[in-house]
Amino acid sequence: MNATAAMGAAPPVLPGFEHVKRGWHNSYGAYAARILPGEYYVTRHDEGIYTTLGSCISACIRDRATGIGGMNHFMLPQTANEPQEWKATGLGAATRYGNFAMEHLINTVMKHGGRRENLEVKVFGGGRILENMTDVGQRNIAFVRDYLKAEGLKVTSEDVGEIYPRIVLYFPATGKVKVKRLRSLHANLIASQERKYVESIAEQPVAGEIELF
């Protein structure tokens, strides 16, 4: 059987995620959705979700009983008045972006049949990819750990920090994750992409009920 015949039709996409790019990947014999900084994706089917992380964080969350789950990709923007402590219960602009990223993912999983008591959480990213940058990655790691602790959600697996960019591939149906650490030559490009992302979200208002994702 050739690859075209084997791949079949793409799994149905949940409402609201039609814009996310998906494609067939021969290397792991499945469809996969690629998410960019500031995006998230949830599926109830046997497909992968992948992204490339530098200083950013991805939380992979699924209902272990039903297999519905998803992944996000976010970074806390820093403003001149932002405090150095990154508490999930705080009201700073950066914390609110992190809260949106996590709440949208968790709420969407639960909206489509997930149950809080069944949630399985894995966390990736937060690398220090350029030595001359402040350690944004560590702040992102501290935030997501604090958020999950405040929500009573336990991290079952993680690969965070250090100096590596990462490609993360997640299969919510099984909970399986593949992580590839990239060589430092990729760091400049990834850092440039993340700077553009942070600049774009720093210009957006965070007050009120504005939907950011």
Side-chain angles (χ1 to χ4, degrees):
M1 182 180 295
N2 61 36
T4 303
M7 68 185 194
V13 64
L14 292 177
F17 297 106
E18 295 86 355
H19 65 287
V20 176
K21 184 178 180 181
R22 299 188 299 162
W24 175 263
H25 291 258
N26 287 325
S27 56
Y28 40 87
Y31 279 92
R34 181 191 178 195
I35 59 171
L36 302 174
E39 294 185 338
Y40 76 111
Y41 185 81
V42 174
T43 180
R44 59 193 314 160
H45 301 286
D46 188 10
E47 60 180 327
I49 311 167
Y50 71 100
T51 196
T52 302
L53 301 168
S55 303
C56 289
I57 286 287
S58 278
C60 301
I61 301 178
R62 77 179 191 120
D63 182 310
R64 64 174 65 89
T66 64
I68 183 170
M71 175 198 285
N72 60 21
H73 179 154
F74 72 94
M75 177 190 287
L76 304 182
Q78 185 175 16
T79 68
N81 297 320
E82 198 66 45
Q84 294 303 307
E85 294 295 325
W86 302 89
K87 295 295 182 182
T89 54
L91 297 176
T95 300
R96 272 183 269 177
Y97 278 97
N99 284 343
F100 275 121
M102 295 302 296
E103 289 171 5
H104 277 237
L105 174 57
I106 292 170
N107 289 344
T108 303
V109 170
M110 295 176 65
K111 176 183 176 181
H112 291 281
R115 297 179 63 88
R116 176 172 286 270
E117 61 268 27
N118 294 334
L119 295 184
E120 176 184 85
V121 183
K122 301 180 180 182
V123 177
F124 304 93
R128 185 176 184 132
I129 59 174
L130 289 179
E131 290 186 5
N132 61 346
M133 291 178 66
T134 58
D135 204 348
V136 180
Q138 283 299 319
R139 299 204 324 270
N140 291 324
I141 294 167
F143 166 80
V144 74
R145 285 174 172 169
D146 183 73
Y147 177 92
L148 292 167
K149 182 179 179 180
E151 291 294 314
L153 298 173
K154 184 179 179 181
V155 176
T156 61
S157 179
E158 67 175 32
D159 182 36
V160 297
E162 301 191 51
I163 61 171
Y164 307 100
R166 297 164 168 88
I167 295 176
V168 179
L169 170 65
Y170 178 51
F171 290 92
T174 62
K176 186 174 182 180
V177 182
K178 296 183 179 181
V179 179
K180 181 178 181 180
R181 293 183 173 186
L182 303 176
R183 296 181 181 179
S184 59
L185 60 87
H186 297 276
N188 286 320
L189 176 60
I190 295 170
S192 175
Q193 293 172 339
E194 291 188 347
R195 284 194 192 98
K196 291 179 181 178
Y197 163 53
V198 170
E199 289 170 1
S200 70
I201 59 178
E203 296 173 356
Q204 298 181 31
V206 293
E209 300 299 321
I210 296 173
E211 294 239 331
L212 300 179
F213 295 87

